[in-house]
Amino acid sequence: VGLDERQAQFIWDKVDHRFYTPPDAPPRGGYVLSVGREQRDYQTLIEALRPLGIPAVIVPGSPWSHRERTPLDVPDHVEVRAGLSYPELRRLYQGARVVAVPVHPGTSYAAGVNGVLEGMASGRPVIASDTPGLSGYVEDGVDGRQVPAGDPAALREVVEELWEDRSGAERLGAEGRHTVVQGRTVEHFVDRVAGLVETLG
């Protein structure tokens, strides 16, 4: 856009960590949860899940996206839901054993970031596509997992790993929550914006 790089400042996106909170106890059964519409690669997720038989819930909606929703051909163990209230969505996050955020390869903006941060704030282990737009939001193996975008085999492997390793998955979820509380809250976002505005005065 013709700006000098010193005139552009990166600001981490944010989440309401007081609304999206961890469950009181890890879910006993659980499911893989995936939410949102913008640039979502649900076909890759479905192909990853198809042979596993692991229950999953997809909520392919967003109040922020006006893209047409592509019909999904899902196996019997995958449920598609719509029209949820925010409290209902929060309960879905809290009941999930894994939150997956599949995004189309090469997506240069932060499509999927709400799903990533809401899942992390909810203390759930998050698997995010490794795209330019989501770079840095998840540190692979530390506070979540990253997989190559558009690769159902790689996504399947990580879903299986987190599904089987419950203690490891819960550790990732706790670290994800810690990452959010330390630097991805609404307060952090407002403070950063306000600080930049003050420098213009």
Side-chain angles (χ1 to χ4, degrees):
V1 295
L3 294 175
D4 185 279
E5 65 179 24
R6 291 169 297 181
Q7 294 176 276
Q9 296 286 329
F10 178 78
I11 302 175
W12 292 106
D13 216 320
K14 73 286 180 196
V15 65
D16 185 348
H17 72 294
R18 293 184 178 87
F19 181 80
Y20 292 102
T21 56
D24 293 333
R28 294 191 178 189
Y31 40 81
V32 175
L33 176 65
S34 194
V35 306
R37 183 178 302 180
E38 193 73 8
Q39 293 293 344
R40 292 302 191 279
D41 187 3
Y42 285 125
Q43 195 57 47
T44 289
L45 176 63
I46 290 166
E47 292 312 308
L49 296 173
R50 194 178 299 277
L52 297 180
I54 291 174
V57 178
I58 295 175
V59 187
S62 169
W64 320 114
S65 176
H66 301 290
R67 293 177 185 268
E68 289 295 320
R69 195 173 95 184
T70 304
L72 301 174
D73 175 23
V74 299
D76 291 341
H77 56 90
V78 176
E79 176 187 0
V80 178
R81 298 187 61 182
L84 302 177
S85 67
Y86 281 109
E88 289 171 328
L89 180 62
R90 175 176 57 190
R91 285 193 293 273
L92 271 183
Y93 275 116
Q94 291 176 337
R97 273 173 65 175
V98 176
V99 172
V101 186
V103 178
H104 288 295
T107 302
S108 59
Y109 63 99
V113 71
N114 286 338
V116 169
L117 292 179
E118 289 166 5
M120 293 171 77
S122 301
R124 302 296 80 218
V126 171
I127 306 171
S129 294
D130 188 5
T131 62
L134 290 179
S135 177
Y137 277 98
V138 171
E139 187 175 352
D140 188 46
V142 176
D143 55 12
R145 294 298 309 273
Q146 281 193 310
V147 296
D151 187 338
L155 180 54
R156 183 183 308 126
E157 181 179 342
V158 176
V159 167
E160 280 191 289
E161 175 188 317
L162 294 181
W163 194 263
E164 296 299 327
D165 182 8
R166 301 223 33 191
S167 62
E170 289 300 317
R171 178 188 60 77
L172 281 181
E175 288 298 322
R177 171 74 183 180
H178 179 74
T179 294
V180 163
V181 170
Q182 293 301 307
R184 308 284 189 272
T185 69
V186 174
E187 288 82 1
H188 287 109
F189 182 85
V190 170
D191 287 346
R192 178 71 169 136
V193 172
L196 290 172
V197 170
E198 285 179 1
T199 66
L200 301 177

